[in-house]
Amino acid sequence: MKRSISYLTAVLAAAAMAVLILDTKTALYGGAEGVDLCIKTLIPSLFPFFLVSILLTSSLMGQKIPFLVPLAKLLRVPSGAEPLLTVGLLGGYPVGAQSIAQARKNGNLSDSDARRMMAFCSNAGPAFLFGIGSRLFSSVWTCWLLWGIHIVSAWIVGILTPGGRTESIQPRQEPTITLSQALRKALEVMAMVCGWVVIFRVLLAILERWILWMLPAELQILMYGFLEIANGCCALQGLQSEGMRLVLFSGFLGFGGLCVALQTYSVTAGSGVDTSLYLPGKLTQCAFSVLLACGAQPFLSEDARWSPNPWIICICLIVCAGYCLLQRKGKMTVAFRRNLVYNEVKST
């Protein structure tokens, strides 16, 4: 199995090398766009959040935050881990995942809690949402509506994800992290994120030249959003209907894109966090985001409303039902193995 994976990696790397050699101009153009995006947008908006989130989780982890206690109980998050909820909603992708990984590495979260929280504690930040949204919508109120949908859909995923506990965590006593140590960690994470962004910008530039131009405009936008969230959201400017932009923007925010997923896996590598629930959680959040955005159409002005295709709602419902079924089945399988296969039933 490992040998076949190595061969596949070698073949893909050789194919990528051939494309870069045959179409160097397009690759350079995409790489320059990626570097420009990192310098002008990502680093100014994300780097301060990386630094602050590291300091926040290090200093507050294990301390109960009173006004977040009801939410933590609703989402079945351990008491004392409330700072992760705040960072996950305000920090932006992938700050929440990085904070969970750091808490797990420091011994402040159990394996099961970290695995479960990966499904709903890493979300788009308000800086990105309002920065892009202000260009797409005629009213800033629509951006507030989108942020509310994004938060509620994340909470729904947290409620649906099985497991969780509300008892207090027992944080490991460690020296308080210094500002220089937090800065070093933030720089490492930021470099990882920028690397993936540049790679995906090159990929999108090549796809745009050779493949995507043959697809309908709407399908192109969906491909952009699936691969890289910033490019997908900016491409929404080509849609005439503001209501349709609301639905697709909401879905892009909920899923995050493949680029963000790889960033998440990179910043959690080596921490011992099981990320198997991340993609199912983001897909479910994407589905609920689309459903809530469709339901919010009556709140828009009459000329901005969009009547969604019923198939969109059906697909979203199927995704949500499939996620719930898989999680329930997985939970039952684990219980069966513990009780029978591993003979963990207590004797009477």
Side-chain angles (χ1 to χ4, degrees), residues 77-81 113 164-170:
V77 171
S79 178
D113 287 327
R165 58 196 178 98
T166 56
E167 62 265 23
S168 299
I169 61 174
Q170 299 297 328

Side-chain angles (χ1 to χ4, degrees), residues 40-49 87 89-93 95 123-135 143-144 147 150 249 253:
K40 293 183 178 180
T41 304
L42 292 182
I43 294 177
S45 61
L46 283 182
F47 182 72
F49 281 101
V87 171
L89 289 175
L90 299 179
Y93 292 120
V95 178
N123 299 281
F128 175 84
L129 192 155
F130 283 87
I132 300 292
S134 60
R135 308 174 189 175
C143 296
W144 285 101
W147 196 26
H150 190 57
F249 192 24
L253 289 174

Side-chain angles (χ1 to χ4, degrees), residues 75-159:
L75 301 179
R76 302 187 301 282
V77 171
S79 178
E82 292 91 347
L84 295 175
L85 296 176
T86 304
V87 171
L89 289 175
L90 299 179
Y93 292 120
V95 178
Q98 192 271 338
S99 299
I100 293 172
Q102 190 64 42
R104 168 63 188 84
K105 190 174 182 180
N106 293 341
N108 295 327
L109 276 181
S110 66
D111 293 338
S112 59
D113 287 327
R115 174 178 179 268
R116 181 178 178 274
M117 293 176 70
M118 284 295 299
F120 60 92
C121 282
S122 185
N123 299 281
F128 175 84
L129 192 155
F130 283 87
I132 300 292
S134 60
R135 308 174 189 175
L136 297 176
F137 305 106
S138 56
S139 173
V140 70
W141 180 87
T142 308
C143 296
W144 285 101
L145 176 64
L146 269 168
W147 196 26
I149 290 173
H150 190 57
I151 293 173
V152 170
S153 61
W155 291 350
I156 292 175
V157 175
I159 294 171

Side-chain angles (χ1 to χ4, degrees), residues 13-321:
M17 181 67 72
V19 171
L20 292 175
I21 293 173
L22 295 174
D23 198 0
T24 305
K25 187 176 180 180
T26 302
L28 288 174
Y29 173 76
E33 276 196 329
V35 172
D36 188 65
L37 175 66
C38 292
I39 294 175
K40 293 183 178 180
T41 304
L42 292 182
I43 294 177
S45 61
L46 283 182
F47 182 72
F49 281 101
F50 280 128
L51 179 61
V52 172
S53 67
I54 292 172
L55 293 171
L56 181 67
T57 54
S58 173
S59 58
L60 293 183
M61 183 60 64
Q63 301 183 28
K64 186 180 293 186
I65 302 177
F67 68 91
L68 288 178
V69 169
L71 178 61
K73 289 183 178 180
L74 177 66
L75 301 179
R76 302 187 301 282
V77 171
S79 178
E82 292 91 347
L84 295 175
L85 296 176
T86 304
V87 171
L89 289 175
L90 299 179
Y93 292 120
V95 178
Q98 192 271 338
S99 299
I100 293 172
Q102 190 64 42
R104 168 63 188 84
K105 190 174 182 180
N106 293 341
N108 295 327
L109 276 181
S110 66
D111 293 338
S112 59
D113 287 327
R115 174 178 179 268
R116 181 178 178 274
M117 293 176 70
M118 284 295 299
F120 60 92
C121 282
S122 185
N123 299 281
F128 175 84
L129 192 155
F130 283 87
I132 300 292
S134 60
R135 308 174 189 175
L136 297 176
F137 305 106
S138 56
S139 173
V140 70
W141 180 87
T142 308
C143 296
W144 285 101
L145 176 64
L146 269 168
W147 196 26
I149 290 173
H150 190 57
I151 293 173
V152 170
S153 61
W155 291 350
I156 292 175
V157 175
I159 294 171
L160 290 178
T161 306
R165 58 196 178 98
T166 56
E167 62 265 23
S168 299
I169 61 174
Q170 299 297 328
R172 183 189 300 173
Q173 296 296 326
E174 293 187 352
T176 304
I177 190 171
T178 64
L179 182 60
S180 60
Q181 291 173 330
L183 185 63
R184 188 182 304 111
K185 291 183 179 180
L187 285 170
E188 293 174 357
V189 176
M190 192 73 249
M192 190 83 67
V193 169
C194 289
W196 281 115
V197 168
V198 172
I199 289 174
F200 269 80
R201 282 288 175 163
V202 173
L203 174 62
L204 282 171
I206 293 173
L207 290 176
E208 283 175 353
R209 179 172 182 183
W210 297 105
I211 298 175
L212 293 182
W213 64 269
M214 297 183 291
L215 303 177
E218 292 80 4
L219 190 55
Q220 289 185 38
I221 294 173
L222 288 176
M223 286 293 296
Y224 291 149
F226 173 77
L227 291 173
E228 203 271 317
I229 183 174
N231 209 67
C233 293
C234 292
L236 292 174
Q237 293 179 342
L239 297 177
Q240 295 295 326
S241 172
E242 189 169 310
M244 187 176 184
R245 278 180 292 196
L246 173 70
V247 173
L248 293 180
F249 192 24
S250 183
F252 291 165
L253 289 174
F255 177 54
L258 184 59
C259 182
V260 167
L262 293 176
Q263 294 171 24
T264 300
Y265 297 144
S266 297
V267 300
T268 56
S271 63
V273 174
D274 183 353
T275 57
S276 60
L277 285 183
Y278 175 78
L279 272 182
K282 300 319 292 180
L283 287 171
T284 308
Q285 185 175 350
C286 174
F288 275 108
S289 297
V290 170
L291 288 174
L292 292 172
C294 290
Q297 293 296 315
F299 296 96
L300 302 179
S301 60
E302 189 172 349
D303 58 338
R305 294 174 189 172
W306 175 62
S307 299
N309 191 315
W311 282 107
I312 296 178
I313 299 177
C314 291
I315 292 172
C316 292
L317 290 174
I318 291 172
V319 171
C320 297

